[in-house]
Amino acid sequence: RSSDLEQLCLACLFYFHRDDEGLAWRLVGLAGRMCFELGLHRQETYFSQLHSINERYRATVLFWSIYVLDRRFSFGMGLPFVMQECDIDPNLLKPVRPWYHLLSPSFPVSSFPTPFHPRSTIKARNQLTHDSQDNEATPYLSNMITLTEMSSKIWPRLTPSTPNAITLGPKPSSAPIDVSELQHLDALVQQWHAHLPPLLIHRPNSPHPPPLTSPNAKDRTYARLQLLLLLRANQTRLLIGRPGSGQGG
């Protein structure tokens, strides 16, 4: 059930902030396996078993949150992650606005569980448009999904068991550092940050950066998101060149 998954996510975050990242990693792995068991990695599940847009949206946010946390804790621990891209439906919906791509012509009304009438479809689309003032409902999660997907290109090259792995710690003479590969991975991360929506890019030289102490709640929110995404980008760049990456422990 989604409520069980939500509780597992909260437990993961609790133990992570208690500095027990090992337990957080084990719990998010369990949550990931539950996602597969419930079929949340397949798009058809959202239309055959979830009968409202709110249910689909909640399940989508939950699945991708677990996906990002699984990768975050795995990279932090230097241990394998559970949720592999090859196991996830490439057409799986992501938590972005406008959410009415759930109601687009690519999903004919006949494919929706009953009752799902065209009139209710229009009503739902209008309501979602009215409720959404931003292009993305979950701007941090939406952009972290992209960075997390990118990490799939980084992980195999940091794992000692991979033939072409990049190792910056003790290494055999037959596995030299591929500097061009390091530069390529680093450039990918920098491009990701550079192509974030303008409101989510931290610009320290801007004459009017949104302050964290602004009386405007929206300014404070964007200021926090800017810093968090900048930190995630730099963390990933550091990970690329971390000695002993992917060796566990």
Side-chain angles (χ1 to χ4, degrees):
R1 296 183 306 171
S2 62
S3 59
D4 295 332
L5 284 174
E6 289 170 348
Q7 291 175 28
L8 269 178
C9 280
L10 291 174
C12 292
L13 293 171
F14 172 79
Y15 286 109
F16 175 75
H17 289 291
R18 285 282 303 269
D19 292 328
D20 193 344
E21 197 166 356
L23 182 53
W25 173 78
R26 290 191 290 274
L27 288 175
V28 80
L30 177 60
R33 291 182 177 89
M34 287 181 65
C35 284
F36 289 128
E37 183 180 357
L38 294 171
L40 296 182
H41 62 299
R42 298 193 306 268
Q43 182 172 294
E44 62 185 46
T45 301
Y46 294 79
F47 296 94
S48 63
Q49 299 183 27
L50 303 176
H51 304 293
S52 73
I53 298 174
N54 286 337
E55 285 181 311
R56 293 172 194 148
Y57 182 72
R58 181 178 178 181
T60 300
V61 170
L62 183 58
F63 175 85
W64 288 110
S65 296
I66 293 170
Y67 169 80
V68 170
L69 288 175
D70 177 45
R71 202 65 55 92
R72 165 68 183 85
F73 297 152
S74 293
F75 269 81
M77 292 290 293
L79 295 170
F81 38 87
V82 169
M83 306 183 81
Q84 306 279 350
E85 276 74 12
C86 60
D87 297 321
I88 300 173
D89 187 342
N91 297 316
L92 191 64
L93 297 171
K94 294 180 181 178
V96 296
R97 287 275 176 92
W99 185 244
Y100 49 77
H101 60 264
L102 267 175
L103 311 173
S104 68
S106 61
F107 298 103
V109 173
S110 60
S111 69
F112 285 93
T114 56
F116 209 96
H117 192 272
R119 183 172 298 174
S120 64
T121 300
I122 296 172
K123 181 179 179 181
R125 179 186 287 119
N126 291 340
Q127 183 64 41
L128 286 168
T129 306
H130 179 267
D131 290 344
S132 176
Q133 300 299 321
D134 300 320
N135 188 42
E136 295 183 345
T138 53
Y140 177 78
L141 176 60
S142 301
N143 289 287
M144 279 303 300
I145 291 170
T146 305
L147 183 63
T148 302
E149 290 173 335
M150 192 182 303
S151 70
S152 298
K153 302 176 182 179
I154 298 173
W155 179 260
R157 294 167 174 80
L158 301 177
T159 306
S161 59
T162 303
N164 295 323
I166 302 169
T167 55
L168 301 185
K171 53 189 178 299
S173 57
S174 59
I177 298 173
D178 188 341
V179 177
S180 63
E181 187 71 19
L182 286 172
Q183 293 173 338
H184 173 67
L185 294 173
D186 185 69
L188 287 177
V189 178
Q190 292 188 68
Q191 289 174 13
W192 169 80
H193 186 262
H195 289 86
L196 289 172
L199 282 173
L200 297 178
I201 298 178
H202 179 63
R203 303 182 190 278
N205 298 324
S206 172
H208 302 291
L212 288 168
T213 56
S214 169
N216 187 305
K218 192 169 185 178
D219 283 348
R220 294 197 302 272
T221 297
Y222 278 116
R224 286 193 295 268
L225 291 176
Q226 288 174 4
L227 291 174
L228 283 171
L229 291 168
L230 177 63
L231 287 170
R232 289 289 174 257
N234 288 334
Q235 181 186 41
T236 305
R237 294 180 66 193
L238 288 171
L239 181 64
I240 292 172
R242 187 181 68 180
S245 294
Q247 295 181 8

